[in-house]
Structure formats: C-alpha cells, structure tokens
Amino acid sequence: ITAPTTAPAPATDRCAVAGPDLFGLARALEAADGSVGSHADLAALAAHARSGAAMPDLVFVTVSSDPVEGVVPATHALAHRTLDMVRAWLAEDGFAASRLVFVTRGALATQDGEDPHDLAAAPLWGLVRSAQAEHPDRFVLLDVDGVEASLAVVHQAVATGEPQLAVRGTEVLVPRLAAGAARGVLAPPDGTDGGEAWRLEASGAGTLEGLTLAAVTDVAGELGEHEVRVAVRATGLNFRDVLISLGMYPGEALMGGEGAGVVVATGSGVTSLAVGDRVMGLWEGGFGPLAVVDHRMLARIPDGWSFTEAASVPVVFVTALYALRELAGVRRGESLLVHAAAGGVG
C-alpha cells in the first residue's frame, strides 16, 4: 500500500452519516466541509429521500466491534450487519446515484509491523470488495486510525474516487501493485549448484513458510523398464499440494502431482514415447527440474497447447472422467447437472 501520487481532489460532495456515529465522523466532516446530514439508519435516510429531500452524494456508516462480545461473535455480528446494509443499499432506487462509504478503524495493516486492533471488522473488507466487484462505484471502503487528524481528511480521501483507502494521520493510502525486493527466496541446496537434483518439498513445519528445496537422488539415476525422465516445464498446483505443505494430507505424499515437459530419457520397455516428445501427465515430486514417471501416466501434448495449459489438464480431466464414467455411470444421451461448477473439475 502506497500513498497516491496526486493530491486529493477538492471535496464538494454532499455528505451524510447513517446509523451510530462511532468515531465522531459527523463532527469532523462538519468542521472540515460544513453541513452534514445525520440519519438513524439507511431506512431513515431512504424515507428522507422519498420525502423530496436531496440525496447526499456520499453516505458514511461507521463499523466497529464491541470488545466485550469477543472476536468470533463480534465478527459474525458485523458481517451480518454489513451484508444487511449492502442489500438495503442496492434495493433502494433512491440510492442509485450515491456511494455508501464503510468506515472502519484499525481493521487492516498498511505497512509491516502495524497490527490491526479491530480484527472483527477486517472480514467486512472482503465482503464489501465482493459487492464492489459486482456493483462498481456503489461502495467505498475506508480505514482510519485513532488520530483525530485522520477524520479531518476523510472527505478529501473519498473524493479521490478510489474504492479502497486508508488514512494514517493526514496521509491517504491506496492499494497499488509495485515491484518489490525478493525476500526469502528459496535456493537449491548445497552441492546441486542450481542443477537438477532438487525439488520443492514440505519441511514438516506445517506452514507454507516451511517449504524447502530438498536434494534428491531418485530423478537422475537409472530408469526402470517402463519409466520416462521428463524435463519439467510447468507443474499444476492443486489443493492436495496445499494440504501436503500444511501437514494435513493423510499419509506420505510428495507435492507436484501433475505437469508438462519434454522427454529426455526413456526406459528399455518404452516404445510409445521418444526423447524430445512434449508430454503431460500425472506424477509425483513435480516441483523441480526433473521428474521420473511411468510412461503409461503420460500423453503427448496436443499441437498448439503451451506447457502451462497442458500442466493444468491431467488432474481435473481425469477426476471428471472418473466421476462421470466410473462413479456415475453416465451414458450417451443422458442429461447431466453440474452443480457449483466453480473449480477446474466443475
């Protein structure tokens, strides 16, 4: 998160605060910009608008958790309240030309070392981001700190038109992608010289930070009769790999169960593939330069497919085929309902 490169635009929008004003926002807005409307809730604001009154351009709602409730109950309560407000905002035609600004305080960190102190309010950022994606320009997310000066620039901050902002002191911060320095980059183990005798493995720590590049000896030795050595070009990442890395997968298993690459050596009994063939398939330990695979688990990559495209196919296609043919017994001419088809298998 970085500060914007341009100064905030002059704030001329009409403002109102709806619901409990937990941070004294109305007072700060009035001191900075003049008259600010206050309403008991969004329903009261809607009734006010239906009476013929002008609708404000910006409607602020402050969201904060009650520390007495505990984090989990407070999280549930705030999520339900936020969802209710989103639905109410979208259902009221009179709100169509206005923006609803959710204001949190300390619900997110803007830099290393900063600890959010309102964790229960943090999930609403994800919830409202989803609403922003579906209904652009209808919602704004704004996080302030506990400094009075941050409230004084809230109106100017929202006037930038940014959908997500944080104010720290008088500085307005917005999310931006930027080139960063490489930190914690994994290096091949000593003795491999960056060569081929390593692969990505879970260290047993049970965290993604515990991944390591481990030296291996089983990818460069003599091949079995039906084995093929593949120079890996791309490897598919599946939820199974996440479970393995977190120590949650039942039994012993290696990460990297599918991928694509080029055949560099074949066993004595392999006749269906030759050195130089572009192949894709199922294997183990595929997060490394080399993989040794039974040739019966491989297929040639169709013409026109990239290695990346090919690496994404084996697990989901085989899973779908097994589910439809072996488990469901689907036959030609039958109708099929694919429910919740959100992932690759779907």
Side-chain angles (χ1 to χ4, degrees):
I1 297 183
T2 59
T5 55
T6 56
T12 58
D13 299 314
R14 297 186 304 274
C15 299
V17 176
D21 187 0
L22 305 174
F23 311 144
L25 183 58
R27 183 178 66 253
L29 290 171
E30 287 175 355
D33 304 302
S35 177
V36 174
S38 294
H39 304 274
D41 51 28
L42 292 182
L45 174 62
H48 181 70
R50 292 191 201 103
S51 70
M55 182 68 188
D57 303 296
L58 299 172
V59 178
F60 295 84
V61 292
T62 56
V63 185
S64 182
S65 62
D66 183 350
V68 177
E69 288 185 282
V71 174
V72 174
T75 300
H76 291 166
L78 287 183
H80 283 292
R81 180 189 167 207
T82 301
L83 182 58
D84 288 342
M85 286 191 288
V86 167
R87 287 170 170 167
W89 185 260
L90 295 174
E92 180 62 45
D93 292 339
F95 296 161
S98 304
R99 287 185 293 164
L100 182 62
V101 184
F102 288 94
V103 184
T104 58
R105 184 165 61 188
L108 76 161
T110 60
Q111 59 186 356
D112 292 341
E114 181 182 357
D115 293 325
H117 63 262
D118 193 355
L119 292 178
L124 79 84
W125 275 69
L127 192 158
V128 176
R129 283 192 187 106
S130 297
Q132 288 177 329
E134 297 177 8
H135 304 276
D137 301 322
R138 299 297 308 278
F139 302 100
V140 179
L141 284 163
L142 174 66
D143 190 76
V144 298
D145 55 21
V147 180
E148 191 70 23
S150 66
L151 296 179
V153 298
V154 160
H155 193 182
Q156 273 192 308
V158 177
T160 63
E162 293 283 343
Q164 300 168 36
L165 310 102
V167 179
R168 297 296 182 262
T170 58
E171 185 178 32
V172 180
L173 306 175
V174 294
R176 290 289 185 269
L177 289 176
R183 294 183 296 177
V185 175
L186 297 179
D190 294 338
T192 62
D193 297 323
E196 299 173 334
W198 58 267
R199 65 177 166 233
L200 183 69
E201 292 185 353
S203 66
T207 67
L208 296 178
E209 289 77 11
L211 296 176
T212 182
L213 298 185
V216 294
T217 59
D218 58 352
V219 296
E222 184 176 351
L223 293 173
E225 181 182 2
H226 299 292
E227 290 182 330
V228 171
R229 183 175 294 114
V230 178
V232 179
R233 295 291 184 267
T235 307
L237 179 65
N238 291 280
F239 188 56
R240 177 178 183 268
D241 299 307
V242 179
L243 294 178
I244 294 171
S245 68
L246 296 177
M248 300 172 64
Y249 191 78
E252 296 292 327
L254 293 173
M255 299 171 61
E258 65 174 343
V262 177
V263 174
V264 294
T266 61
S268 59
V270 177
T271 59
S272 58
L273 296 171
V275 172
D277 284 347
R278 300 168 72 247
V279 294
M280 62 183 185
L282 302 172
W283 53 51
E284 282 200 325
F287 289 120
L290 292 175
V292 174
V293 198
D294 187 308
H295 75 95
R296 290 165 293 190
M297 304 297 287
L298 297 173
R300 288 188 177 86
I301 297 176
D303 292 340
W305 285 23
S306 69
F307 287 114
T308 303
E309 291 169 329
S312 70
V313 164
V315 167
V316 293
F317 277 47
V318 169
T319 302
L321 181 63
Y322 176 72
L324 296 177
R325 188 170 65 186
E326 305 300 328
L327 296 182
V330 174
R331 297 291 180 262
R332 186 183 301 276
E334 293 183 327
S335 297
L336 173 71
L337 170 65
V338 181
H339 181 263
V345 174

